[in-house]
Amino acid sequence: MNQLKPILIEDFNEIKSPSSLKYSPDEKTLAFTIVQPDKENNKYSKNLWIMEENKEAVQLTSSGKDGDFIWEDEQTILFVSERSEKKDDLEEKTTFYRINIHGGEAKQAFSVSRSVSFFKKLSDGLYCMGIEENRNSLPLDADEKLRKEEKDYHVIDEVPVWGNGRGFISGVRTCLYLYEEKTGTLKKLTAKNFDTASVCVSNEALLILGKEWENLIDQTDSVLLYDIKEKKLTTLVEQKNLMISRAVFADGKIVITATDGKPYGEGQYHDIYEYDEMLKKPVKKVQVDCLLGVDIMTDCQYSHGESLVVAKDGTIYAIAQHGYKDGIVSYKRDAAGSYEENEACAWDGLVCEIASGKGKLSFAAMKANGFCEIYEYKDGTVTKKTSFNDTYIESHFISKAKHMPFVDKDGVTIDGWVLEPKDYDPSKSYPGVLEIHGGPRCTYGEVFFHEMQVWASKGWFVFFCNPRGSEGYGEAFADLRGKYGTIDYEDLMEFTDHVLAAYPQIDIAKIGAAGGSYGGFMCNWIEGHTDRFAAIASQRSVSNWVSDFGCSEIGVTFDQNEILATPWNGMEKMWDCSPLKYACNAKTPILFIHSMNDYNCTLDQGIQMFTAVKFYGVPARMCLFEGENHGLSRNGKPLHRMRRLKEMTDWFEKYLTKERKN
């Protein structure tokens, strides 16, 4: 009998996640936040920490309400805090505090009567700020009675209508402002319809990434340059051909990561371009063969930092995913203008974010079967710098992910894994659950996944894989456009067969399936295509591509790209790819979980499928969460996350452990 504690539903509240890693200007001190769920107050606690060179991490603030921050100099951090409560729902206010890293309490620096989403320092007392504005709303100085009444109305004049986690966004843009602390004045830099995505700052200029649009959102992006001294804004990259993810200054050049979407569509890898001053356009320098970013799935990490950074010597470092593992790659521009790509640091697991210091890299990462900690890479050696979660790991049973790849019927190798149940006895019989990831261009790996570990601790097998459509295995592998419910479904069913053959201890009459987003779509698809499962838990799902096109925040762009059709040129194809079409075949008891404010996979998608299976007499249950969005399982309110997992666990206990399939 294993003496380690089982992992329980509420245990994710004990996990601490380092986030927002940033070095001081002299690159001697690393600052970061620690994010931890707080079930007592049903929110997330956030505090600032620092780690000086060759010293252990030290907590800097303790209010639990301290968020985004920047370094102002080698000793001073400016940060946003919610310590000052807002007077009412109409008040827009962001309060900034300063703290000296060598001692003393944080002091209020200034407040801005707007909702600031990000900020950067340009010079002493001068900052740029991203501020959300709605051109359809009354001005802030309008009569308070009228403003309160106006909250009851939503004026819609463009698409998307709403945004996940943001509510109705028609007319809403993140505008870029300059803020002068001495006078408390704001000066707007961007046009009213320009939506700012990110800003990179040099001593002389701002590099602004975003897009200007009205009526229907544009998938392409533009890059603007603001000359700080001349106070002049110019367009460098026109909003025409490229979908751009980043724009940075590197070694005196402007570098962007972007794709034209040819031939693999919106999900295509982003290559490295350099803005050519002579040609007045970006020129591709590196054809990238992997995802530069983070797409390995976990439900115990809350990173808000960078996946691409530029060192002072101009070297670009980026997180790169190959298969089910991340690593860090570097790109260095040589004298001839070419970029040399090298592996900077290999990693067995998930790299969440990176920060560049003097002669070193710091990164927040999860090792296989572990939690997020901070590591340092220097002179070819990786050193673990924090141990926030070691005590939990040492005292609890964590089922190690057993790699179980197989070759599918088309000759394609599929990575998969099995978690054996706690106190596993090969002579006994056990239930099992197939987990299906979202995306579909996401990836399962070997990092800790709380939901799966809870079920392994309860005595269930859990198995999961990366079917075709998953990220990390090349463009052709990930290209599922027009093929939803075909090769991906076949891979999942073949993997299930593969696991059952390897583990006859799994009772084939007691297997379940669970998944969210694309995984929810696939659960709905399974419901209408096989009765091999005893129970299904479908979360934040899609069931009807036709209606999703007009309701989802990404329906107009994503659906057309993925299904290769619209309701006007391919209604039959969209319906053929919709799980709802096959609900008449449903037999398996199915649980639906949906968030009321999920504007990615909208509420109607779950309700349509729920109604259909009820119509055909299939046992079904639906649990809806007020105030939550598409990210419920990862960053929803702690009590809601606990209830969600309890709903799923109870459903599977009912049909996998207490009842047998007929």
Side-chain angles (χ1 to χ4, degrees):
M1 181 70 70
N2 194 311
Q3 298 302 311
L4 294 172
K5 298 177 183 177
I7 293 174
L8 305 177
I9 289 176
E10 62 267 26
D11 280 9
F12 70 88
N13 293 286
E14 299 183 36
I15 307 307
K16 298 177 180 179
S17 178
S19 176
S20 305
L21 279 61
K22 296 173 186 169
Y23 269 104
S24 57
D26 62 5
E27 299 187 337
K28 291 183 178 179
T29 305
L30 183 70
F32 56 94
T33 60
I34 287 293
V35 183
Q36 183 175 9
D38 175 6
K39 69 178 180 180
E40 299 304 320
N41 295 298
N42 201 23
K43 62 180 184 178
Y44 290 82
S45 170
K46 300 177 183 178
N47 291 303
L48 293 175
W49 288 63
I50 60 167
M51 187 160 49
E52 296 184 89
E53 209 166 23
N54 301 318
K55 293 183 180 180
E56 293 186 354
V58 175
Q59 188 168 343
L60 201 60
T61 66
S62 57
S63 76
K65 301 178 179 181
D66 305 327
D68 195 14
F69 70 91
I70 60 171
W71 284 92
E72 292 210 288
D73 55 42
E74 282 75 10
Q75 301 183 64
T76 311
I77 291 175
L78 180 73
F79 64 97
V80 171
S81 181
E82 297 177 356
R83 302 176 186 200
S84 300
E85 300 295 332
K86 292 181 179 180
K87 295 178 182 179
D88 56 55
D89 291 340
L90 289 177
E91 183 182 23
E92 290 188 34
K93 181 180 179 182
T94 306
T95 305
F96 295 80
Y97 289 78
R98 285 192 178 95
I99 191 168
N100 188 296
I101 65 170
H102 297 302
E105 293 291 325
K107 297 180 180 179
Q108 184 172 328
F110 54 87
S111 290
V112 178
S113 297
R114 306 294 291 276
S115 296
V116 178
S117 56
F118 65 83
F119 61 103
K120 304 268 187 177
K121 178 182 176 179
L122 306 187
S123 60
D124 288 344
L126 183 64
Y127 308 88
C128 65
M129 297 180 174
I131 294 176
E132 191 170 274
E133 292 185 345
N134 187 344
R135 67 166 184 259
N136 296 324
S137 295
L138 291 173
L140 296 177
D141 58 359
D143 181 79
E144 185 174 338
K145 183 179 179 180
L146 290 177
R147 291 184 65 213
K148 285 183 177 179
E149 181 181 341
E150 195 69 18
K151 287 188 67 179
D152 290 342
Y153 315 119
H154 297 285
V155 177
I156 308 299
D157 57 9
E158 62 188 20
V159 173
V161 171
W162 43 33
N164 189 60
R166 299 173 64 194
F168 288 90
I169 61 169
S170 178
V172 174
R173 302 290 187 273
T174 298
C175 304
L176 192 64
Y177 279 82
L178 291 182
Y179 175 78
E180 189 178 76
E181 182 178 358
K182 184 177 180 180
T183 61
T185 56
L186 285 165
K187 177 186 176 183
K188 191 173 181 179
L189 292 183
T190 51
K192 69 173 184 178
N193 284 323
F194 188 86
D195 199 17
T196 308
S198 66
V199 172
C200 184
V201 180
S202 74
N203 293 329
E204 302 174 344
L206 291 177
L207 199 58
I208 306 165
L209 170 62
K211 65 183 70 186
E212 187 170 1
W213 62 280
E214 57 182 329
N215 296 322
L216 182 65
I217 194 168
D218 192 341
Q219 288 301 94
T220 61
D221 302 280
S222 61
V223 179
L224 313 180
L225 184 71
Y226 179 75
D227 188 305
I228 298 173
K229 184 178 180 180
E230 299 294 328
K231 300 181 180 180
K232 183 180 179 182
L233 186 66
T234 57
T235 299
L236 291 185
V237 182
E238 292 187 4
Q239 192 170 312
K240 188 180 293 184
N241 301 314
L242 294 176
M243 293 173 276
I244 305 173
S245 51
R246 303 172 189 85
V248 296
F249 294 108
D251 198 21
K253 300 293 181 179
I254 293 171
V255 175
I256 68 174
T257 56
T259 180
D260 59 8
K262 300 175 183 177
Y264 289 104
E266 294 174 8
Q268 185 166 306
Y269 297 150
H270 283 215
D271 300 312
I272 295 178
Y273 291 74
E274 184 181 287
Y275 182 74
D276 190 300
E277 294 280 357
M278 297 290 293
L279 299 175
K280 301 298 180 184
K281 68 177 184 179
V283 176
K284 188 184 295 187
K285 291 291 186 176
V286 182
Q287 180 82 36
V288 176
D289 66 351
C290 66
L291 173 72
L292 296 182
V294 181
D295 228 346
I296 297 174
M297 305 293 288
T298 179
D299 57 359
C300 276
Q301 186 274 328
Y302 314 100
S303 179
H304 295 92
E306 301 292 340
S307 60
L308 182 148
V309 297
V310 181
K312 286 186 175 180
D313 68 356
T315 303
I316 299 169
Y317 293 97
I319 299 172
Q321 182 184 337
H322 290 95
Y324 58 90
K325 297 180 181 180
D326 279 334
I328 302 173
V329 296
S330 66
Y331 300 95
K332 179 66 175 176
R333 189 176 189 272
D334 62 23
S338 298
Y339 284 79
E340 182 182 3
E341 179 180 337
N342 289 292
E343 182 180 71
C345 177
W347 189 251
D348 183 17
L350 164 63
V351 180
C352 306
E353 59 179 85
I354 54 179
S356 173
K358 191 174 182 180
K360 60 192 173 188
L361 286 173
S362 287
F363 57 99
M366 301 174 74
K367 282 188 173 181
N369 306 299
F371 295 104
C372 190
E373 300 288 354
I374 296 176
Y375 297 83
E376 182 180 281
Y377 178 77
K378 184 177 182 180
D379 298 329
T381 301
V382 174
T383 305
K384 185 180 178 185
K385 303 297 290 186
T386 64
S387 300
F388 291 111
N389 301 296
D390 284 8
T391 300
Y392 183 90
I393 290 175
E394 292 164 1
S395 59
H396 287 75
F397 169 77
I398 297 177
S399 182
K400 303 295 189 293
K402 294 186 177 295
H403 193 206
M404 289 197 63
F406 75 102
V407 178
D408 69 13
K409 67 179 180 59
D410 295 324
V412 180
T413 299
I414 305 296
D415 279 318
W417 295 266
V418 171
L419 301 183
E420 294 178 353
K422 188 176 186 294
D423 302 323
Y424 173 51
D425 182 346
S427 67
K428 294 182 178 179
S429 179
Y430 297 88
V433 178
L434 168 69
E435 282 266 26
I436 308 167
H437 66 60
R441 288 188 75 137
C442 291
T443 314
Y444 276 141
E446 296 178 351
V447 296
F448 184 94
F449 209 109
H450 171 253
E451 175 181 308
M452 298 185 191
Q453 294 292 341
V454 167
W455 292 342
S457 276
K458 288 190 71 66
W460 308 347
F461 275 90
V462 183
F463 47 101
F464 49 99
C465 71
N466 292 327
R468 280 172 287 182
S470 302
E471 192 64 273
Y473 301 91
E475 296 280 23
F477 187 100
D479 187 18
L480 202 59
R481 294 172 304 156
K483 294 174 280 191
Y484 277 60
T486 60
I487 57 175
D488 48 348
Y489 172 71
E490 292 166 3
D491 285 348
L492 289 165
M493 295 304 100
E494 286 187 57
F495 174 65
T496 300
D497 293 337
H498 174 62
V499 171
L500 294 177
Y503 284 97
Q505 294 83 3
I506 301 175
D507 187 338
I508 62 171
K510 294 183 177 181
I511 56 173
S517 195
Y518 163 76
F521 160 86
M522 188 51 67
C523 282
N524 293 346
W525 188 267
I526 287 171
E527 177 69 40
H529 285 79
T530 180
D531 63 354
R532 72 183 300 176
F533 295 93
I536 296 173
S538 173
Q539 311 157 70
R540 55 190 183 278
S541 64
V542 172
S543 64
N544 182 353
W545 289 111
V546 179
S547 59
D548 187 72
F549 180 90
C551 291
S552 170
E553 62 168 342
I554 60 173
V556 171
T557 55
F558 181 84
D559 294 6
Q560 182 178 8
N561 181 78
E562 296 298 299
I563 306 303
L564 302 179
T566 71
W568 298 275
N569 65 19
M571 176 75 80
E572 186 175 343
K573 183 173 184 179
M574 296 186 87
W575 183 239
D576 287 344
C577 291
S578 298
L580 191 63
K581 175 179 179 178
Y582 311 98
C584 55
N585 303 322
K587 294 183 177 66
T588 307
I590 183 168
L591 168 71
F592 295 94
I593 290 178
H594 228 104
S595 296
M596 300 289 283
N597 295 338
D598 186 342
Y599 299 133
N600 190 318
C601 296
T602 49
L603 180 60
D604 62 290
Q605 295 295 309
I607 288 179
Q608 287 181 71
M609 194 69 184
F610 171 75
T611 302
V613 297
K614 278 290 193 182
F615 181 79
Y616 283 103
V618 177
R621 174 181 172 91
M622 194 168 197
C623 185
L624 305 178
F625 289 83
E626 287 279 4
E628 295 292 355
N629 59 53
H630 196 67
L632 167 63
S633 65
R634 300 176 294 276
N635 49 39
K637 292 179 180 179
L639 294 182
H640 289 177
R641 289 177 64 184
M642 291 165 62
R643 174 60 182 267
R644 165 198 163 269
L645 187 48
K646 184 179 186 300
E647 285 283 335
M648 296 171 66
T649 304
D650 289 350
W651 188 255
F652 285 139
E653 280 191 324
K654 178 178 180 179
Y655 289 102
L656 305 188
T657 67
K658 296 179 181 178
E659 295 183 9
R660 291 188 65 87
K661 187 178 178 184
N662 292 330

